[in-house]
């Protein structure tokens, strides 16, 4: 049964399941309550009829049979009075027949004189009447002493009432009355129909009210289940995105270590091949000057050395100083904390124009009023490196910077119309260290990095950064 209910519950809503189960319960309850009410009405009507008849007996019949307290039979005068009460009084006319029972099941009077003096087996109702109880039932007239009443052709209402001696509680006889059950059954049927209608109506109204309550509850539960399912799916999607983001950040962190190491090696190479070579050359020239001044003491030789070598040494040192300054300018980041996004972008594009002598078209659309410092740093570095690549590899042709944002992401696009390249052949870690650094920076902040380029059609570098990232330490 439990499996069946679980199977039904899987196919039906709570309201439908309640309707299916509660309807059978309501119907069963209605039948039981209706039957019980009908029986109570039936017993009530029978009891009321018995009480009415007992009152009739006590008022009219009992005074006429008091002689049974001293003798076994009624006198002819008493029988005549009882015949009169049966035939002439209104209540007596409603009685089909009646009997007066003496001790031992002996008939001392009957409206049908043919059974005077006969003895019949005592029925349970007769025995209870001798014990002082008024009993009644809708009889099928199956007892032996009911032979004459069966001629009436239908069921009769049979009543037994004890007759007491006047002035005492001693029972001297039992009066048995038979009334036609037609009127009684009609009244009983009407009462039962009314009771069934009332019980059915009340049960149906209760069913509707309960069904309405359960249906609203079911709809609320269904709505909450759908919302919960949607939230679970959304949460599952967010968890999947978080896992992917975590994996991307982990990969970016791992790659960033290698990129930083490569970057440090590049800086080391730049310092070694540039300023270090110039300074080394200057030191060699300076050593040569010292050697010459030590070996040649003539004024003419010293004058010739002073006019040539110091100039060369100065030029070498100036070149080294300029290269160091240029390298430092590329590494250092200007103060961005108090700048807006527009001011940050204007500064990086202006610096690129001044350094390269090329033009850059800057387009800003729907930019946010305020931006967190990590986003401004990432934007500055991305645009700086992208423009450097556009200048060195794209010949600085038609350089454009376009920045837009929606409610969730800041989108930066840097393009040029240079020679372009085949992105399928690009190895970011070995061939383009700048691009690899940009990718790692963007992805480590939860953003997306992409390159679109075709040989002969220029290059487009794009970054999408989430606006909701938390404030972190400045990353330069």
């Amino acid at each position: 049964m439990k499996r069946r209910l679980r199977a039904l519950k899987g196919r039906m809503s709570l309201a439908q399941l309640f309707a299916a189960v509660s309807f059978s319960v309501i119907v069963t309850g209605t039948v039981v309550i209706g039957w019980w009410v009908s029986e109570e009405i039936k017993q009530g009507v029978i009891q009321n009829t018995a009480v009415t008849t007992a009152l009739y007996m006590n008022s009219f019949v009992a005074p006429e049979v008091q002689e049974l307290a001293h003798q076994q039979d009624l006198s002819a005068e008493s029988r005549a009075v009882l015949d009169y009460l049966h035939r002439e009084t209104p209540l007596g006319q409603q009685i089909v027949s009646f009997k007066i029972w003496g001790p031992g099941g002996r008939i001392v009077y009957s409206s049908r004189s043919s059974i005077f003096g006969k003895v019949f087996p005592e029925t349970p109702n007769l025995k209870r009447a001798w014990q002082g109880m008024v009993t009644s039932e809708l009889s099928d007239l199956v007892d032996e002493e009911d032979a004459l009443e069966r001629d009436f052709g239908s069921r009769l209402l049979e009543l037994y009432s004890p007759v007491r001696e006047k002035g005492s509680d001693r029972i001297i006889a039992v009066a048995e009355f038979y009334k036609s059950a037609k009127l009684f059954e009609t009244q009983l049927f009407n009462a039962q129909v009314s009771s069934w209608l009332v019980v059915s109506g009340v049960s149906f109204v209760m069913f509707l009210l309960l069904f309405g309550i359960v249906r609203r509850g079911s709809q609320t539960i269904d709505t909450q289940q759908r919302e919960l399912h949607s939230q679970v799916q959304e949460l599952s999607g967010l968890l999947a995105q978080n896992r992917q983001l975590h994996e991307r950040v982990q990969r970016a962190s791992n790659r960033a270590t290698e990129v930083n190491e490569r970057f440090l090696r590049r800086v080391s190479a730049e310092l070694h091949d540039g300023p270090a070579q110039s300074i080394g050359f200057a030191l060699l020239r300076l050593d040569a000057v010292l050697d010459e001044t030590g070996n040649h003491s003539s004024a003419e030789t010293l004058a010739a050395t002073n006019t040539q070598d110091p100039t060369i040494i100065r030029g070498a040192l100036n070149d080294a100083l300029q290269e160091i300054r240029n390298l430092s300018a590329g590494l250092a980041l200007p103060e961005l904390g108090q700048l807006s996004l527009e001011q940050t972008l204007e500064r990086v594009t202006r610096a690129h124009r001044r350094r390269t002598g090329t033009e850059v078209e800057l387009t800003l659309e729907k930019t946010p009023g305020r931006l967190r410092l990590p986003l401004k740093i990432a934007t500055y570095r991305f645009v700086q490196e992208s423009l450097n690549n556009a200048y060195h590899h794209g010949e600085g042709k038609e350089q454009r910077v376009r920045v837009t944002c929606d409610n969730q992401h800041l989108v930066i696009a840097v393009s040029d119309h240079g020679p372009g390249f085949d992105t399928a052949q690009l190895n970011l870690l070995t061939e383009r260290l700048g691009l690899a650094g940009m990718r790692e920076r963007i992805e480590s902040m939860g953003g997306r990095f992409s390159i679109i380029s075709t040989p002969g059609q220029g290059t487009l570098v794009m970054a999408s950064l989430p606006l909701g990232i938390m404030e972190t330490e400045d990353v330069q």
Side-chain angles (χ1 to χ4, degrees):
M1 182 64 181
K2 292 182 179 180
R3 291 181 179 177
R4 186 175 300 176
L5 287 176
R6 285 196 294 267
L8 287 174
K9 188 174 181 180
R11 296 192 299 268
M12 303 169 65
S13 66
L14 179 61
Q16 293 172 334
L17 183 62
F18 171 80
V21 175
S22 64
F23 182 77
S24 59
V25 174
I26 291 291
V27 170
T28 303
T30 301
V31 171
V32 172
I33 294 174
W35 175 84
W36 179 79
V37 170
S38 298
E39 288 298 314
E40 289 295 315
I41 291 174
K42 177 180 177 181
Q43 296 301 323
V45 172
I46 292 175
Q47 189 64 28
N48 289 335
T49 303
V51 171
T52 301
T53 305
L55 289 174
Y56 169 77
M57 183 278 304
N58 288 327
S59 300
F60 297 99
V61 176
E64 304 303 329
V65 298
Q66 288 298 312
E67 55 189 339
L68 292 177
H70 310 289
Q71 61 188 36
Q72 293 184 349
D73 294 315
L74 294 174
S75 62
E77 292 80 4
S78 297
R79 291 197 297 270
V81 173
L82 292 175
D83 289 339
Y84 172 78
L85 292 175
H86 176 242
R87 292 192 304 268
E88 303 299 334
T89 61
L91 186 57
Q93 292 175 359
Q94 297 178 15
I95 297 174
V96 175
S97 68
F98 74 89
K99 303 168 187 175
I100 304 297
W101 292 84
R106 181 171 173 270
I107 302 288
V108 297
Y109 172 80
S110 174
S111 58
R112 300 192 178 191
S113 58
S114 59
I115 60 173
F116 279 179
K118 290 186 176 182
V119 178
F120 296 95
E122 291 187 353
T123 63
N125 286 335
L126 180 58
K127 291 178 181 180
R128 283 193 289 269
W130 280 109
Q131 295 173 1
M133 293 182 290
V134 177
T135 63
S136 59
E137 67 174 355
L138 197 60
S139 176
D140 293 325
L141 306 174
V142 295
D143 296 331
E144 183 180 347
E145 48 96 6
D146 294 331
L148 297 177
E149 283 75 17
R150 283 196 288 270
D151 295 338
F152 190 74
S154 64
R155 292 198 302 173
L156 298 177
L157 187 61
E158 186 177 11
L159 306 102
Y160 292 86
S161 179
V163 179
R164 302 179 187 274
E165 181 182 7
K166 187 176 182 181
S168 72
D169 289 335
R170 186 168 73 95
I171 299 173
I172 59 176
V174 172
E176 180 184 8
F177 299 85
Y178 295 89
K179 292 186 64 175
S180 173
K182 290 182 179 180
L183 179 59
F184 166 77
E185 290 179 333
T186 301
Q187 293 174 344
L188 179 62
F189 175 77
N190 292 334
Q192 288 176 333
V193 169
S194 299
S195 67
W196 275 99
L197 290 176
V198 171
V199 171
S200 301
V202 172
S203 300
F204 183 70
V205 171
M206 290 174 58
F207 171 77
L208 290 180
L209 290 176
L210 292 175
F211 178 75
I213 295 173
V214 174
R215 184 169 180 269
R216 290 185 61 185
S218 176
Q219 291 175 342
T220 301
I221 292 173
D222 291 341
T223 301
Q224 292 176 345
Q225 286 180 337
R226 288 193 296 270
E227 293 177 354
L228 180 61
H229 182 68
S230 176
Q231 291 174 356
V232 169
Q233 287 184 327
E234 183 178 356
L235 180 60
S236 300
L238 290 176
L239 291 175
Q241 292 178 3
N242 286 338
R243 285 194 299 270
Q244 294 175 358
L245 179 60
H246 176 74
E247 293 172 357
R248 288 170 56 194
V249 170
Q250 188 68 34
R251 291 194 301 268
S253 177
N254 294 335
R255 291 196 299 264
T257 302
E258 185 176 353
V259 170
N260 288 336
E261 184 64 25
R262 290 177 177 275
F263 180 73
L264 291 175
R265 286 203 297 268
R266 192 184 76 175
V267 172
S268 175
E270 292 286 343
L271 290 173
H272 179 271
D273 296 339
Q277 295 294 330
S278 298
I279 294 174
F281 175 76
L283 289 174
L284 291 175
R285 297 301 303 172
L286 184 59
D287 289 340
V289 169
L290 292 176
D291 290 341
E292 290 178 358
T293 56
N295 296 326
H296 303 282
S297 58
S298 63
E300 294 81 2
T301 303
L302 182 60
T305 301
N306 289 336
T307 57
Q308 295 176 6
D309 288 338
T311 302
I312 296 174
I313 294 172
R314 178 186 294 275
L317 292 177
N318 283 333
D319 290 342
L321 178 61
Q322 185 62 39
E323 289 184 12
I324 291 174
R325 285 176 175 174
N326 291 338
L327 186 60
S328 299
L331 294 175
L333 185 71
E335 179 60 41
L336 303 178
Q338 304 301 320
L339 300 182
S340 65
L341 177 62
E342 291 84 351
Q343 292 171 335
T344 300
L345 293 170
E346 288 173 358
R347 173 170 290 191
V348 66
T349 54
R350 184 169 59 249
H352 182 76
R353 293 190 192 99
R354 184 174 59 252
R355 186 173 62 254
T356 63
T358 58
E359 292 298 322
V360 179
E361 180 182 336
L362 175 62
T363 303
L364 304 176
E365 298 179 3
K366 299 180 181 179
T367 55
R370 298 180 61 184
L371 200 64
R372 297 180 183 272
L373 182 58
L375 281 175
K376 286 190 286 187
I377 294 174
T379 301
Y380 185 96
R381 288 300 194 191
F382 176 80
V383 174
Q384 182 186 51
E385 185 63 27
S386 298
L387 288 176
N388 284 338
N389 289 336
Y391 174 72
H392 291 294
H393 304 290
E395 303 174 358
K397 294 181 179 180
E398 299 182 19
Q399 300 171 116
R400 294 185 177 88
V401 177
R402 183 173 181 269
V403 180
T404 63
C405 76
D406 53 22
N407 294 330
Q408 297 180 343
H409 294 87
L410 180 71
V411 180
I412 312 161
V414 180
S415 63
D416 64 71
H417 204 271
F421 58 92
D422 185 1
T423 57
Q425 304 299 321
L426 179 64
N427 187 329
L428 294 180
L429 291 179
T430 60
E431 297 181 14
R432 298 290 177 89
L433 188 61
L435 292 178
M438 283 194 293
R439 178 186 293 275
E440 303 309 326
R441 181 185 295 273
I442 296 302
E443 291 187 353
S444 66
M445 300 181 70
R448 293 183 179 276
F449 177 88
S450 61
I451 301 176
I452 301 174
S453 183
T454 303
Q457 298 184 13
T459 302
L460 172 64
V461 185
M462 295 187 66
S464 175
L465 290 167
L467 294 176
I469 65 169
M470 298 181 60
E471 190 77 45
T472 59
E473 293 184 359
D474 295 354
V475 179
Q476 300 187 23

Short mmCIF file of all heavy atoms in Angstrom, two decimals, residues 242 245 368 370-376 405-411 442 444-447 464-472:
data_model
loop_
_atom_site.label_atom_id
_atom_site.label_comp_id
_atom_site.label_asym_id
_atom_site.label_seq_id
_atom_site.Cartn_x
_atom_site.Cartn_y
_atom_site.Cartn_z
N ASN A 242 32.52 28.33 -10.55
CA ASN A 242 33.57 28.56 -9.56
C ASN A 242 34.69 27.55 -9.69
O ASN A 242 35.87 27.89 -9.54
CB ASN A 242 32.97 28.51 -8.14
CG ASN A 242 32.15 29.74 -7.83
OD1 ASN A 242 32.33 30.79 -8.45
ND2 ASN A 242 31.25 29.64 -6.87
N LEU A 245 36.58 28.54 -12.68
CA LEU A 245 37.37 29.74 -12.39
C LEU A 245 38.56 29.40 -11.50
O LEU A 245 39.67 29.89 -11.72
CB LEU A 245 36.48 30.79 -11.71
CG LEU A 245 37.16 32.10 -11.31
CD1 LEU A 245 37.74 32.79 -12.53
CD2 LEU A 245 36.18 33.01 -10.59
N PRO A 368 31.94 52.95 -16.29
CA PRO A 368 31.47 53.19 -14.93
C PRO A 368 32.09 54.44 -14.33
O PRO A 368 33.22 54.82 -14.67
CB PRO A 368 31.90 51.92 -14.18
CG PRO A 368 33.06 51.41 -14.95
CD PRO A 368 32.79 51.77 -16.40
N ARG A 370 33.00 54.87 -11.15
CA ARG A 370 34.10 54.51 -10.27
C ARG A 370 34.53 53.08 -10.58
O ARG A 370 33.72 52.25 -10.94
CB ARG A 370 33.67 54.61 -8.80
CG ARG A 370 33.27 56.01 -8.38
CD ARG A 370 32.86 56.02 -6.91
NE ARG A 370 33.96 55.61 -6.06
CZ ARG A 370 33.85 55.46 -4.73
NH1 ARG A 370 32.69 55.70 -4.15
NH2 ARG A 370 34.89 55.07 -4.02
N LEU A 371 35.82 52.84 -10.41
CA LEU A 371 36.35 51.51 -10.72
C LEU A 371 37.39 51.16 -9.66
O LEU A 371 38.18 52.00 -9.23
CB LEU A 371 37.00 51.51 -12.11
CG LEU A 371 37.18 50.16 -12.79
CD1 LEU A 371 35.84 49.51 -13.08
CD2 LEU A 371 37.99 50.30 -14.08
N ARG A 372 37.38 49.90 -9.22
CA ARG A 372 38.34 49.47 -8.22
C ARG A 372 39.76 49.51 -8.78
O ARG A 372 39.99 49.31 -9.97
CB ARG A 372 37.99 48.05 -7.75
CG ARG A 372 36.64 47.97 -7.05
CD ARG A 372 36.37 46.54 -6.61
NE ARG A 372 35.04 46.42 -6.00
CZ ARG A 372 34.80 46.62 -4.71
NH1 ARG A 372 35.80 46.95 -3.90
NH2 ARG A 372 33.59 46.51 -4.23
N LEU A 373 40.71 49.73 -7.87
CA LEU A 373 42.11 49.89 -8.29
C LEU A 373 42.65 48.68 -9.05
O LEU A 373 43.33 48.86 -10.07
CB LEU A 373 42.97 50.19 -7.06
CG LEU A 373 44.47 50.42 -7.34
CD1 LEU A 373 44.64 51.59 -8.30
CD2 LEU A 373 45.22 50.67 -6.03
N PRO A 374 42.38 47.43 -8.61
CA PRO A 374 42.90 46.29 -9.40
C PRO A 374 42.42 46.29 -10.83
O PRO A 374 43.18 45.94 -11.75
CB PRO A 374 42.36 45.07 -8.64
CG PRO A 374 42.17 45.55 -7.24
CD PRO A 374 41.73 46.97 -7.37
N LEU A 375 41.18 46.74 -11.07
CA LEU A 375 40.67 46.80 -12.43
C LEU A 375 41.38 47.89 -13.24
O LEU A 375 41.69 47.71 -14.43
CB LEU A 375 39.16 47.05 -12.42
CG LEU A 375 38.27 45.83 -12.13
CD1 LEU A 375 36.81 46.25 -12.03
CD2 LEU A 375 38.43 44.79 -13.22
N LYS A 376 41.64 49.03 -12.60
CA LYS A 376 42.34 50.11 -13.31
C LYS A 376 43.76 49.69 -13.65
O LYS A 376 44.27 49.99 -14.75
CB LYS A 376 42.32 51.38 -12.46
CG LYS A 376 40.96 52.06 -12.42
CD LYS A 376 41.02 53.43 -11.79
CE LYS A 376 41.20 53.36 -10.29
NZ LYS A 376 41.09 54.69 -9.67
N CYS A 405 31.11 48.80 -21.19
CA CYS A 405 30.77 47.96 -20.03
C CYS A 405 29.26 47.82 -19.94
O CYS A 405 28.50 48.69 -20.39
CB CYS A 405 31.34 48.53 -18.73
SG CYS A 405 30.43 49.96 -18.10
N ASP A 406 28.85 46.67 -19.36
CA ASP A 406 27.45 46.48 -19.00
C ASP A 406 27.39 46.46 -17.48
O ASP A 406 28.28 46.97 -16.81
CB ASP A 406 26.90 45.19 -19.63
CG ASP A 406 27.75 43.98 -19.32
OD1 ASP A 406 28.50 44.02 -18.31
OD2 ASP A 406 27.70 43.00 -20.08
N ASN A 407 26.35 45.84 -16.94
CA ASN A 407 26.21 45.83 -15.48
C ASN A 407 27.17 44.87 -14.80
O ASN A 407 27.30 44.90 -13.57
CB ASN A 407 24.78 45.47 -15.09
CG ASN A 407 23.78 46.54 -15.52
OD1 ASN A 407 24.14 47.71 -15.59
ND2 ASN A 407 22.56 46.14 -15.82
N GLN A 408 27.86 43.99 -15.58
CA GLN A 408 28.66 42.95 -14.96
C GLN A 408 30.11 42.91 -15.43
O GLN A 408 30.97 42.45 -14.69
CB GLN A 408 28.02 41.57 -15.21
CG GLN A 408 26.64 41.42 -14.59
CD GLN A 408 26.03 40.06 -14.86
OE1 GLN A 408 26.48 39.35 -15.76
NE2 GLN A 408 25.02 39.70 -14.09
N HIS A 409 30.40 43.39 -16.65
CA HIS A 409 31.75 43.22 -17.19
C HIS A 409 32.23 44.53 -17.83
O HIS A 409 31.44 45.31 -18.39
CB HIS A 409 31.78 42.11 -18.25
CG HIS A 409 31.51 40.75 -17.68
ND1 HIS A 409 30.25 40.25 -17.54
CD2 HIS A 409 32.37 39.81 -17.20
CE1 HIS A 409 30.31 39.04 -17.00
NE2 HIS A 409 31.58 38.75 -16.79
N LEU A 410 33.55 44.73 -17.76
CA LEU A 410 34.25 45.79 -18.47
C LEU A 410 34.96 45.13 -19.65
O LEU A 410 35.77 44.22 -19.47
CB LEU A 410 35.26 46.47 -17.55
CG LEU A 410 36.07 47.61 -18.18
CD1 LEU A 410 35.17 48.82 -18.42
CD2 LEU A 410 37.24 47.99 -17.27
N VAL A 411 34.64 45.59 -20.87
CA VAL A 411 35.18 44.97 -22.09
C VAL A 411 36.14 45.97 -22.74
O VAL A 411 35.78 47.11 -23.03
CB VAL A 411 34.04 44.59 -23.06
CG1 VAL A 411 34.63 43.95 -24.31
CG2 VAL A 411 33.05 43.65 -22.38
N ILE A 442 44.76 38.83 -16.82
CA ILE A 442 43.30 38.92 -17.00
C ILE A 442 42.62 37.70 -16.38
O ILE A 442 41.63 37.82 -15.63
CB ILE A 442 42.95 39.03 -18.50
CG1 ILE A 442 43.51 40.33 -19.09
CG2 ILE A 442 41.43 38.98 -18.69
CD1 ILE A 442 43.03 41.59 -18.42
N SER A 444 43.68 35.63 -14.09
CA SER A 444 43.83 35.54 -12.64
C SER A 444 42.80 36.40 -11.92
O SER A 444 42.53 36.18 -10.73
CB SER A 444 45.25 35.98 -12.24
OG SER A 444 45.45 37.36 -12.52
N MET A 445 42.21 37.36 -12.59
CA MET A 445 41.15 38.20 -12.00
C MET A 445 39.76 37.71 -12.39
O MET A 445 38.77 38.41 -12.17
CB MET A 445 41.34 39.65 -12.46
CG MET A 445 42.68 40.24 -12.05
SD MET A 445 42.89 41.96 -12.57
CE MET A 445 41.72 42.77 -11.50
N GLY A 446 39.69 36.51 -12.97
CA GLY A 446 38.39 35.95 -13.34
C GLY A 446 37.87 36.45 -14.66
O GLY A 446 36.70 36.24 -14.98
N GLY A 447 38.70 37.09 -15.46
CA GLY A 447 38.27 37.61 -16.74
C GLY A 447 38.56 36.66 -17.89
O GLY A 447 39.05 35.54 -17.70
N SER A 464 37.77 40.82 -21.10
CA SER A 464 36.50 41.06 -20.40
C SER A 464 36.75 40.82 -18.92
O SER A 464 37.05 39.70 -18.49
CB SER A 464 35.41 40.11 -20.92
OG SER A 464 34.21 40.27 -20.17
N LEU A 465 36.63 41.88 -18.10
CA LEU A 465 36.90 41.81 -16.67
C LEU A 465 35.61 41.96 -15.87
O LEU A 465 34.81 42.88 -16.14
CB LEU A 465 37.88 42.91 -16.26
CG LEU A 465 39.32 42.75 -16.76
CD1 LEU A 465 40.09 44.03 -16.57
CD2 LEU A 465 39.99 41.60 -16.03
N PRO A 466 35.36 41.08 -14.89
CA PRO A 466 34.14 41.22 -14.06
C PRO A 466 34.24 42.45 -13.16
O PRO A 466 35.26 42.67 -12.50
CB PRO A 466 34.11 39.92 -13.25
CG PRO A 466 35.53 39.46 -13.19
CD PRO A 466 36.15 39.90 -14.48
N LEU A 467 33.17 43.25 -13.12
CA LEU A 467 33.17 44.46 -12.31
C LEU A 467 33.05 44.16 -10.83
O LEU A 467 33.35 45.01 -10.00
CB LEU A 467 32.01 45.37 -12.74
CG LEU A 467 32.11 45.96 -14.15
CD1 LEU A 467 30.86 46.74 -14.47
CD2 LEU A 467 33.33 46.85 -14.25
N GLY A 468 32.62 42.93 -10.48
CA GLY A 468 32.36 42.62 -9.08
C GLY A 468 33.53 42.02 -8.35
O GLY A 468 33.35 41.46 -7.27
N ILE A 469 34.73 42.06 -8.90
CA ILE A 469 35.87 41.45 -8.19
C ILE A 469 36.15 42.23 -6.92
O ILE A 469 35.90 43.43 -6.82
CB ILE A 469 37.13 41.41 -9.08
CG1 ILE A 469 37.61 42.84 -9.40
CG2 ILE A 469 36.90 40.65 -10.34
CD1 ILE A 469 38.96 42.87 -10.03
N MET A 470 36.65 41.52 -5.92
CA MET A 470 36.93 42.14 -4.63
C MET A 470 38.23 42.93 -4.70
O MET A 470 39.13 42.66 -5.50
CB MET A 470 37.02 41.07 -3.54
CG MET A 470 35.75 40.30 -3.33
SD MET A 470 35.90 39.07 -2.03
CE MET A 470 36.29 40.13 -0.65
N GLU A 471 38.32 43.92 -3.83
CA GLU A 471 39.55 44.71 -3.77
C GLU A 471 40.70 43.84 -3.28
O GLU A 471 40.59 43.15 -2.28
CB GLU A 471 39.35 45.88 -2.80
CG GLU A 471 40.46 46.89 -2.82
CD GLU A 471 40.36 47.79 -4.03
OE1 GLU A 471 39.27 48.26 -4.35
OE2 GLU A 471 41.41 48.01 -4.65
N THR A 472 41.77 43.82 -4.00
CA THR A 472 42.95 43.04 -3.62
C THR A 472 44.17 43.95 -3.58
O THR A 472 44.10 45.14 -3.87
CB THR A 472 43.18 41.90 -4.63
OG1 THR A 472 43.38 42.47 -5.93
CG2 THR A 472 41.99 40.97 -4.69
#
